[in-house]
Amino acid sequence: MWRLLLLPGLSFALQVHDASGAPECSRHPPGKHVVKLPEVQRQFLLVVPQEYTPVQASGIPLVLVFHGFGDSPWYSNLLMDFNQHIDRYGWLGILPFGLNETGTNGLSGEGACCSSECQGECCTKAQALNKKDSTACGWRDPERDTKFVEAILKWAVQNSCADPDKVFAAGFSMGGMFVNYLACHASHLIRGFAPVSGNVLPIGCQISRPISYIGMCGSQDTIAHCQDTLEITASSLSKMNRCSGAGPDGAAITFARSATTSCKAWDVCPKHNFVELCMTEGLAHDVSGHLRPDDTSWIRPGSDLDITEYFFQKFSLLVNGSMLFWGKPTAKEIDYKYSRWPYPKQYDHPYIRNGSVGH
Ligand SMILES: *[C@@H]1O[C@H](CO)[C@@H](O)[C@H](O)[C@H]1NC(C)=O
Ligand SMILES: *[C@@H]1O[C@H](CO)[C@@H](O)[C@H](O)[C@H]1NC(C)=O
Ligand SMILES: *[C@@H]1O[C@H](CO)[C@@H](O)[C@H](O)[C@H]1NC(C)=O
């Protein structure tokens, strides 16, 4: 049915009546939607891909992204080029909105986390950060916010074809700190964790099943100082997770990914999990490989690891082939192409071919 998917509007209707009996994936069309959960007085930004990866009986992967203090789901989405990756993998994405200090903007709609001077397009195009004061959205009460995550996952299971066993969480700064909290308090709900620029484990951390973890930090992070804690966080998680590395006596292996990013991996873990940390040399409190949408970043060497790309790639290890284009090209397609000259051109998926979707 891929040919029909060239018409994104139609693809959904077709999915509902899919002759293969695949479940309907979501009532929401491709794109971004603010979804409200009145029962917990909270809301999130749902990111629906242009088309879903073929839906296995168990469902499709879901990635949650938690924004930093004073920013918003819109900002994180642009900061991480998140929806492009959702489109490329055919997964579902959810970016929850944090709360201001009084906790009363939980249902305030798309502009909830932007200042009154930056509403509408200014907010959704992430042109300005909110001041980091009591009006700023954040994750101030992790226990309360974990209940929100539980409500989100319940919604996702009831209202989409998200696979509860393939849920991942990433976050930046305070959102990254909350992801560490979730690793310790919601490991029964979330399989893989990717905190960026916020890497401290809460005291008394315990995990209830094997998880995967990829932590990232810049070596000059003068805001979160995650460079001081990343190693201890990753090594203690690797112990809790009963992981070892591929080095002598099970030591973790450190490898240079590029001239500016090195990673350390404990990748011999139960159930194909991994624990890894990556450090980008010289990077400040920013997302490795990305520019901020409000033009407040320094341009860095192109060698910095693209952390969004990397955590999607790492999480792909845990999804049993639930990715768009898994198994392509088929042997038959290869034979056909090389039997012709000139090679036949391919015109499927123009939104990917013309570069409007990343890598
Ligand atoms: C939080 O947001 C609500 C709704 O906009 C507002 O009434 C309240 O004053 C805000 N609280 C703070 C501390 O900004
Ligand atoms: C992995 O996917 C294959 C085919 O898509 C399916 O038959 C198999 O049951 C899946 N395995 C698990 C562990 O989900
Ligand atoms: C790329 O393709 C998409 C979907 O067909 C279309 O909406 C978009 O305008 C195209 N962009 C360019 C730069 O051609």
Side-chain angles (χ1 to χ4, degrees), residues 11 76 80 116 122 124 142 147 158 178 194 199 201 217 230 237-238 250 256 277 317 326 330-331 356:
S11 67
S76 297
M80 294 196 169
S116 50
C122 176
T124 58
K147 295 206 172 76
Q158 288 171 352
F178 183 49
N199 304 82
L201 284 186
C217 180
L230 183 56
L237 265 180
S238 75
L277 63 83
L317 290 165
W326 176 255
T330 61
S356 55

Side-chain angles (χ1 to χ4, degrees), residues 13 18 33 37 41 78 80 93 115 127 147 151-152 161 185 201 223 236 244 289-290 297 324 337:
D18 192 334
H33 311 276
L37 300 179
Q41 296 281 299
L78 290 171
M80 294 196 169
S115 71
Q127 307 280 287
K147 295 206 172 76
I152 290 173
C161 62
H185 291 91
L201 284 186
I223 305 295
S236 51
S244 53
H290 293 259
S297 337
L324 273 177
K337 172 174 172 178

Side-chain angles (χ1 to χ4, degrees), residues 9 14 24 52 55 73 76 170 191 193 219 266 273 285 310 329:
L14 290 169
E24 174 182 350
Y52 292 103
V55 180
S76 297
R191 172 79 191 274
F193 302 84
S219 73
W266 294 258
N273 284 287
H285 189 60
Y310 195 52

